[in-house]
Amino acid sequence: MRSTQSDRTVETLRELILRGELVAGSRLGEAELAARLDVSRTPVREALGRLAVEGLIELVPHRGARVRTWTAAELAGLFDVRQATEPRLAALAADRITAAETDELALLSSRMLRSGPTGPGQDLEELAALNRRFHGLIVTAADSPALATALAGAVRPPVVLRNFHRYDDDSLRRSLAHHEELVAALRTRDADWAAAVMVAHLRNARAVMLRSAS
């Protein structure tokens, strides 16, 4: 029972953070959160530990927990690394990807089109997970360990997940369309096309993130 309550507490707190109801930098007191969520302090404490591992909150010694803060400069730095590596990885993948990998990308893109759009079927956590698999498969197909290592330090799942919660309808539609176009470029083994689509995809994501951070 405690495990179930802890899971629910994690889900609730995660959603409050991603929706912005618990704003970046705000202190997360165990007693206050327990009262707000109508649970004991134990599942709150467990939830804070799990969300710290996810990178959504920070545990500050002697000061408790607070919502993780990302400055505009930090976010811009992450996207600078991504823009320097991911288009090149997409181009390499166009030359090296297998038919089976392309088919898997197409399936992932199709599933994102179902879970992403605004409406009762929207599931942004599933969308973020599918997106991670999609981009990860491109990195695998590119078969460039040096570029993959450089990119790994810049892709932060909490930032990506938070970004999906910040997309307006037009930006989200563009993002989902980019995935479809990437599949088309990779199917035709057009490295320049794949790289160009990835550049547009990252610029769209960067604009959303920096707008929300300003």
Side-chain angles (χ1 to χ4, degrees):
M1 180 66 179
R2 199 178 84 182
S3 175
T4 300
Q5 191 175 62
S6 178
D7 290 342
R8 290 173 180 167
T9 303
V10 169
E11 292 169 5
T12 302
L13 288 177
R14 184 190 295 118
E15 188 66 19
L16 290 172
I17 292 169
L18 293 172
R19 288 205 310 261
E21 292 187 35
L22 294 173
V23 300
S26 61
R27 181 181 174 278
L28 301 174
E30 290 182 9
E32 294 86 346
L33 289 174
R36 177 173 182 169
L37 303 180
D38 194 25
V39 296
S40 70
R41 294 179 65 166
T42 298
V44 170
R45 188 177 304 114
E46 293 173 352
L48 292 176
R50 289 167 61 179
L51 293 173
V53 172
E54 291 182 16
L56 286 175
I57 70 168
E58 295 175 298
L59 297 177
V60 184
H62 311 299
R63 299 182 62 184
R66 67 180 181 183
V67 179
R68 176 74 162 87
T69 300
W70 296 88
T71 67
E74 287 174 323
L75 294 171
L78 295 179
F79 275 100
D80 285 344
V81 175
R82 293 187 65 182
Q83 288 176 321
T85 53
E86 285 196 83
R88 178 60 180 153
L89 286 164
L92 290 171
D95 292 329
R96 301 170 180 175
I97 198 165
T98 66
E101 288 172 328
T102 307
D103 288 343
E104 185 175 352
L105 286 174
L107 178 60
L108 291 170
S109 179
S110 177
R111 291 178 61 187
M112 282 189 277
L113 284 173
R114 291 196 298 271
S115 63
T118 303
Q122 187 180 62
D123 186 338
L124 294 180
E125 288 193 28
E126 180 183 36
L127 177 60
L130 293 169
N131 179 76
R132 185 164 57 251
R133 288 171 58 187
F134 185 95
H135 285 267
L137 185 54
I138 291 175
V139 173
T140 298
D143 191 24
S144 175
L147 287 174
T149 298
L151 177 62
V155 177
R156 307 292 178 87
V159 173
V160 175
L161 180 54
R162 190 178 77 172
N163 218 28
F164 278 124
H165 282 257
R166 301 294 191 271
Y167 275 100
D168 55 42
D169 289 347
D170 288 341
S171 297
L172 184 54
R173 277 194 293 269
R174 278 195 296 273
S175 180
L176 296 173
H178 289 152
H179 290 131
E180 288 196 296
E181 192 174 358
L182 273 167
V183 173
L186 293 170
R187 280 199 191 282
T188 59
R189 299 192 176 279
D190 190 325
D192 290 339
W193 184 13
V197 177
M198 186 64 81
V199 168
H201 186 60
L202 292 172
R203 286 180 176 173
N204 182 54
R206 179 189 179 112
V208 172
M209 179 56 77
L210 295 183
R211 184 174 65 239
S212 71
S214 61

